[in-house]
Amino acid sequence: IEGTPLSVEGKANRLGTLLRGNLGFAMQGLAAVPLLAAYDHDERTGRIFSYDLTGGRYEEHDFYSIGSGSMFARGALKKLFDVSSGREAAVRAAVQSLYDAADDDSATGGPDVYRRIFPVVAVVDAQGYQRLGEEEVADVVALMLEGRRQRPDGPKAGE
């Protein structure tokens, strides 16, 4: 309906259709597999959708990761992320999981404190998309690295 915002379900379906429309390119090795994270105002909850190359969509629960180091990141998230924790704890878990992925997978980039290159970190909630500022991410990375000096393999679940 014109003038009505598309639902999260509709956006997820539309993204799947876009991927199916580029299947020819994917078969030639030119593929990007997205992850859709959105806040569903109707359901009053966050939702995550993953996709395959053919445009098939799969609803994930609580957290997910994609890319070459995704299995390492997902393993860290499984232990560190608690859906009932707040924004700061979720950001810390995300940065820790990216660091673990970069540590175990050569194709995954992590933070570079010397050149001040940090991951893009954003929060999606009822207020919308909020990208964290570079200084806030730098502070989280600095705290994480200090903790890694004490325990190189990272925090244990529940810490």
Side-chain angles (χ1 to χ4, degrees):
I1 302 171
E2 193 172 321
T4 303
L6 195 56
S7 67
V8 170
E9 195 79 26
K11 291 174 185 176
N13 288 337
R14 180 68 180 132
L15 185 52
T17 301
L18 290 171
L19 289 169
R20 271 189 300 286
N22 288 304
L23 187 57
F25 289 118
M27 299 308 266
Q28 295 175 37
L30 302 169
V33 183
L35 183 70
L36 174 64
Y39 185 83
D40 190 330
H41 288 280
D42 295 334
E43 300 289 326
R44 295 180 185 209
T45 189
R47 296 177 70 186
I48 303 170
F49 296 92
S50 65
Y51 295 85
D52 61 28
L53 288 176
T54 65
R57 79 176 172 90
Y58 310 93
E59 186 158 5
E60 308 299 344
H61 301 283
D62 298 334
F63 61 87
Y64 200 71
S65 63
I66 58 171
S68 61
S70 63
M71 67 178 166
F72 304 112
R74 201 169 316 127
L77 285 170
K78 187 184 291 186
K79 292 181 178 34
L80 299 176
F81 179 73
D82 179 3
V83 71
S84 65
S85 65
R87 174 185 181 272
E88 291 77 23
V91 168
R92 284 194 310 270
V95 170
Q96 289 279 1
S97 69
L98 179 59
Y99 191 86
D100 282 346
D103 199 32
D104 293 327
D105 178 71
S106 62
T108 300
D112 183 339
V113 293
Y114 300 107
R115 291 185 281 182
R116 298 199 49 79
I117 300 171
F118 301 105
V120 172
V121 179
V123 175
V124 179
D125 60 16
Q127 285 72 45
Y129 172 92
Q130 300 127 21
R131 181 175 172 172
L132 277 64
E134 186 175 306
E135 288 306 313
E136 185 175 357
V137 176
D139 291 344
V140 172
V141 168
L143 286 171
M144 181 218 35
L145 291 175
E146 184 57 38
R148 292 285 174 133
R149 283 184 191 82
Q150 306 297 320
R151 180 181 279 149
D153 290 333
K156 293 186 182 220
E159 285 186 352

